[in-house]
Amino acid sequence: MFLLKYILRNLFRHRLRSVLTVVGIAVAVLAFGLLRTLVGLWYSGAEHASDTRLVTRNSISLVFPLPISYLERIRGVPGVTTVSYGSWFGAYYKEPKNFFANYAIEPKGYMELYPEFTLSPQEKNDFLLDRKGCIVGQRLAKTYGWKVGDLITLKGTIYPGQWEFVLRGIYHGREKATEERILLFHWDYLNEAMRQTVPRRADQVGYFIVGVKKPELASEVALAIDSLFKNSLAETLTETEKAFHMGFVSMTEAIMIAIQIVSYMVIAIIMVVAANTMAMTARERIGEYATLKTLGFKGWHLAGLIFGESVIISFLGGLLGVAATFPAASWIETELAQFFPYFSVSGETLLLELLAALSVGVVSGIFPTWRGATIRIADGLKRIG
Amino acid sequence: MAENSEPIVRIRNLSKAYRRGTQVIPVLTGINFDIARGEFVALMGPSGSGKSTLLNLIAGIDSADQGSIQVADVEITSLGESDLARWRAGSVGFIFQFYNLIPVLTAFENVELPLLLTHLDRRERREHVEAVLNVVGLADRMDHYPAQLSGGQQQRVAIARAIVTDPEILVADEPTGDLDRASAEEILQLMDRLVQAFGKTVIMVTHDPRAAEKAHIIRHLEKGELSVT
Ligand SMILES: Nc1ncnc2c1ncn2[C@@H]1O[C@H](COP(=O)(O)OP(=O)(O)O)[C@@H](O)[C@H]1O
Ligand SMILES: [Mg+2]
């Protein structure tokens, strides 16, 4: 009890120093948590990808299309259940900064292949029936305040012009990681427009999504599809959605590892800074510690006093950092939505933030604690005056 | 009465040297010294003569190289660090030149410090603290922090802290060294009263002859050896 009172009073002794240390630790912990979340999200796309869905694309590059005529031939491959297709549309809402993922898709097969996009039967039906209809994820709807029935106009980039859609449904992600910031509309709508304006861009799709009966068949089916189009004008590359994501992820893995290292370095740096501050504080109080020892207090009393202070400071920093993580994450989610479809910090990360803060407290407290607890009384007393 | 009773402090053949690298600096060489119960002893001598060193040895906060120190029949040179700490807490009251109060604790809390190491409960501690603050005349200042008190008042708080456990001996190292004449006089009178009225044994290091006058016995330390005045 007394120890705690004494520690708290010591905390207020150099208010500015304590506050700066707490804030420093909080900022470091916040950075650590956000960077970790970022890395986690990067990999989670692949983790949550289905392994019964294949993606067939142009083998040269994602940006080259495939003819729609491939559809029937892919359907004929044994083991294939459903085939759908789509094109990256790349339009934005009003201003370029209002950017989000939007695709022209074949809706019926798509809805079957993506059960994690949950829509009410009514909305689903309305969407399927309206060629100018679109659906959006609920986060996206929330961002722009869209309601079912609204007319949404997008500015095209890859497909120039003003594109009008009627919002027919707002889907919810079945899982946390399900993207809820996507807009989907009828590929037919796009294709018709292309036929009239730029016929050479008509009847082409960016990719096919192929459902297979069971995961074990995936590689077999993928090979079968690709061999169908060998030596044709547009050769295909088919992989599981997971592999597709992983390919994307591995391209940037080095960056992710660097970010991870930085996140630990941030903690290491604040450890050094906090350790220096604690050592400075303890040095100033050496005479006091010697006095307490003179009065009969033992080394472990002093250890509790010094160590307690550094752990409490760090813990306060940790709590502040954790508290700041929530507004920071939601700010990122709204302001940087085009980069991060969702940015929710996991409980594990929050726990790690606190652990990081505590480890800062422990590490920065060790040296001053050892010095304070082992100081020779006669030497310590000479420091007063 | 002092002459007849057993000495409370009994020092035999005490030596202490400091080592600076390969250099050995002898500070105390073969000191023999008895202090009777209830005495007020002043230790004088030039600066650097080893007064503080001797006082620290008697109070058990430094260790001797050789010789024996008995305080109230306890041979403190043979105590381990932990036992020595316990012994100090119960048997020695410390008064320092710069008071050595804890700045973040009130006068009351500073005086209470040594009692936290005893079995006394909260209420008993409060009674003891209030009693000794009354003795030093600062009962009305017990909620003040050291910075809110004058030097003389701080030293009186320190004296209250020194006597709150009712120790065998009080040791004071230049207790008036940082005080003006009037405050110093007050402190010396208080220490005198502790000896006269409460039967305390006080060992005081000082280089102020006027302070030493208050003592019953003045011993001089020079070149590592004691002489009687
Ligand atoms: N820790 C130490 N290391 C080396 N020399 C010391 C140490 N402490 C004291 N001394 C030396 O011992 C001598 C006696 O010191 P001290 O007892 O403090 O003298 P006084 O209190 O009489 O002024 C001095 O010469 C001092 O320099
Ligand atoms: Mg001295």
Side-chain angles (χ1 to χ4, degrees):
Chain A
M1 250 334 280
F2 166 77
L3 203 63
L4 194 66
K5 178 170 74 184
Y6 193 175
I7 290 173
L8 291 179
R9 299 243 185 107
N10 273 338
L11 276 179
F12 283 98
R13 217 150 143 180
H14 287 283
R15 247 166 256 209
L16 184 64
R17 187 192 293 174
S18 299
V19 166
L20 288 177
T21 310
V22 167
V23 169
I25 292 168
V27 170
V29 157
L30 175 65
F32 174 76
L34 295 181
L35 291 175
R36 264 193 58 89
T37 302
L38 175 72
V39 172
L41 289 181
W42 205 256
Y43 290 104
S44 80
E47 263 163 41
H48 291 272
S50 159
D51 47 9
T52 56
R53 284 194 297 251
L54 301 176
V55 182
T56 301
R57 58 175 169 103
N58 191 303
S59 69
I60 300 169
S61 158
L62 253 171
V63 301
F64 291 101
L66 293 171
I68 185 74
S69 58
Y70 284 10
L71 177 64
E72 285 312 316
R73 295 175 67 189
I74 294 173
R75 262 190 192 138
V77 174
V80 169
T81 54
T82 316
V83 184
S84 182
Y85 49 87
S87 293
W88 172 249
F89 189 57
Y92 57 83
Y93 181 59
K94 287 182 178 163
E95 286 170 66
K97 79 173 180 69
N98 296 329
F99 179 82
F100 47 86
N102 42 78
Y103 300 91
I105 50 125
E106 178 280 303
K108 207 169 163 309
Y110 224 85
M111 296 287 94
E112 269 171 49
L113 285 166
Y114 287 90
E116 61 261 48
F117 291 7
T118 56
L119 268 177
S120 73
Q122 175 67 48
E123 288 180 343
K124 186 171 172 181
N125 203 43
D126 291 348
F127 174 49
L128 290 178
L129 290 177
D130 183 359
R131 282 160 69 83
K132 279 185 72 175
C134 73
I135 57 170
V136 300
Q138 65 140 349
R139 271 171 193 276
L140 193 59
K142 211 171 124 198
T143 305
Y144 300 114
W146 291 333
K147 278 166 210 61
V148 172
D150 283 359
L151 194 71
I152 297 171
T153 307
L154 298 188
K155 261 202 174 73
T157 53
I158 307 167
Y159 304 92
Q162 302 276 344
W163 298 80
E164 284 190 348
F165 309 99
V166 181
L167 185 57
R168 290 300 179 196
I170 295 173
Y171 73 83
H172 294 255
R174 196 180 55 191
E175 274 133 47
K176 186 150 187 57
T178 307
E179 293 258 12
E180 284 186 335
R181 296 188 53 89
I182 298 178
L183 181 146
L184 300 172
F185 65 93
H186 290 242
W187 179 86
D188 283 346
Y189 179 41
L190 171 66
N191 200 45
E192 235 161 65
M194 285 301 108
R195 271 194 186 140
Q196 282 159 23
T197 55
V198 202
R200 64 176 170 83
R201 293 185 72 179
D203 297 326
Q204 289 182 332
V205 300
Y207 55 88
F208 291 94
I209 303 289
V210 183
V212 292
K213 280 203 182 82
K214 41 186 180 179
E216 301 84 81
L217 288 175
S219 53
E220 202 179 302
V221 170
L223 275 175
I225 293 173
D226 290 345
S227 62
L228 273 183
F229 305 109
K230 238 196 169 87
N231 301 321
S232 65
L233 215 52
E235 292 195 354
T236 62
L237 175 66
T238 305
E239 358 174 60
T240 60
E241 196 173 65
K242 194 170 237 152
F244 178 73
H245 273 280
M246 277 321 278
F248 193 52
V249 165
S250 67
M251 277 196 304
T252 46
E253 184 138 41
I255 298 172
M256 288 301 125
I257 288 169
I259 290 177
Q260 237 160 341
I261 290 170
V262 167
S263 78
Y264 289 116
M265 265 164 52
V266 167
I267 296 300
I269 289 166
I270 199 69
M271 255 177 204
V272 173
V273 172
N276 181 49
T277 307
M278 281 310 299
M280 201 157 79
T281 302
R283 193 158 52 236
E284 283 170 8
R285 296 179 192 162
I286 275 296
E288 248 164 75
Y289 300 149
T291 302
L292 287 169
K293 271 195 152 181
T294 302
L295 298 180
F297 287 89
K298 304 271 175 67
W300 60 265
H301 288 114
L302 298 179
L305 193 64
I306 306 168
F307 203 64
E309 181 171 349
S310 80
V311 168
I312 287 180
I313 283 193
S314 302
F315 193 67
L316 287 177
L319 286 182
L320 191 63
V322 165
T325 303
F326 294 102
S330 87
W331 182 84
I332 288 173
E333 210 166 58
T334 49
E335 295 299 316
L336 304 175
Q338 63 267 45
F339 305 114
F340 306 105
Y342 70 104
F343 200 90
S344 61
V345 182
S346 68
E348 190 197 337
T349 295
L350 294 176
L351 202 71
L352 276 171
E353 286 187 337
L354 277 184
L355 277 178
L358 279 179
S359 67
V360 168
V362 169
V363 169
S364 66
I366 285 174
F367 178 68
T369 299
W370 173 78
R371 266 197 45 135
T374 58
I375 174 87
R376 281 191 64 243
I377 296 175
D379 294 339
L381 288 176
K382 285 198 184 116
R383 304 285 193 86
I384 297 180
Chain B
M1 68 156 200
E3 279 76 41
N4 311 337
S5 61
E6 269 286 292
I8 189 165
V9 178
R10 208 182 139 100
I11 295 171
R12 292 290 174 271
N13 195 28
L14 182 68
S15 296
K16 168 93 180 167
Y18 287 107
R19 270 155 212 90
R20 225 176 265 141
T22 55
Q23 208 183 353
V24 176
I25 306 154
V27 180
L28 303 173
T29 51
I31 302 271
N32 291 291
F33 187 16
D34 283 359
I35 298 169
R37 205 175 278 276
E39 277 298 0
F40 188 169
V41 179
L43 270 178
M44 297 192 73
S47 176
S49 58
K51 305 181 297 292
S52 295
T53 302
L54 178 56
L55 196 70
N56 288 349
L57 288 173
I58 295 172
I61 53 176
D62 206 346
S63 56
D65 294 340
Q66 211 187 76
S68 139
I69 306 167
Q70 283 176 17
V71 180
D73 290 331
V74 177
E75 177 60 57
I76 63 168
T77 54
S78 62
L79 294 179
E81 196 177 331
S82 181
D83 288 334
L84 202 54
R86 196 172 319 123
W87 173 78
R88 276 199 308 274
S91 307
V92 189
F94 291 87
I95 302 163
F96 305 92
Q97 180 176 359
F98 300 104
Y99 335 126
N100 292 22
L101 298 176
I102 307 297
V104 291
L105 302 180
T106 63
F108 181 96
E109 290 162 344
N110 266 287
V111 176
E112 192 187 16
L113 272 175
L115 296 181
L116 295 171
L117 296 168
T118 66
H119 299 296
L120 299 180
D121 66 28
R122 205 183 164 81
R123 194 183 47 80
E124 290 167 324
R125 291 203 301 268
R126 170 159 283 274
E127 281 169 6
H128 279 72
V129 172
E130 284 174 355
V132 291
L133 280 171
N134 266 314
V135 169
V136 302
L138 284 174
D140 55 334
R141 299 298 177 98
M142 62 185 182
D143 293 327
H144 286 54
Y145 288 92
Q148 299 167 325
L149 298 170
S150 73
Q153 288 171 328
Q154 289 188 56
Q155 194 59 299
R156 283 193 280 159
V157 173
I159 291 173
R161 181 178 68 186
I163 60 175
V164 74
T165 54
D166 197 19
E168 309 274 0
I169 56 171
L170 292 176
V171 298
D173 196 343
E174 311 263 10
T176 58
D178 199 47
L179 297 174
D180 58 59
R181 198 59 253 160
S183 301
E185 188 57 35
E186 250 177 50
I187 293 301
L188 289 167
Q189 271 170 16
L190 178 56
M191 298 214 301
D192 192 44
R193 190 149 68 86
L194 293 176
V195 175
Q196 303 292 346
F198 296 89
K200 297 287 171 203
T201 307
V202 175
I203 309 159
M204 173 178 71
V205 163
T206 185
H207 60 238
D208 176 1
R210 278 199 274 185
E213 268 172 28
K214 277 278 186 295
H216 308 159
I217 296 174
I218 302 176
R219 306 295 293 268
H220 280 271
L221 193 58
E222 206 153 352
K223 302 208 178 79
E225 292 176 28
L226 269 182
S227 61
V228 192
T229 311

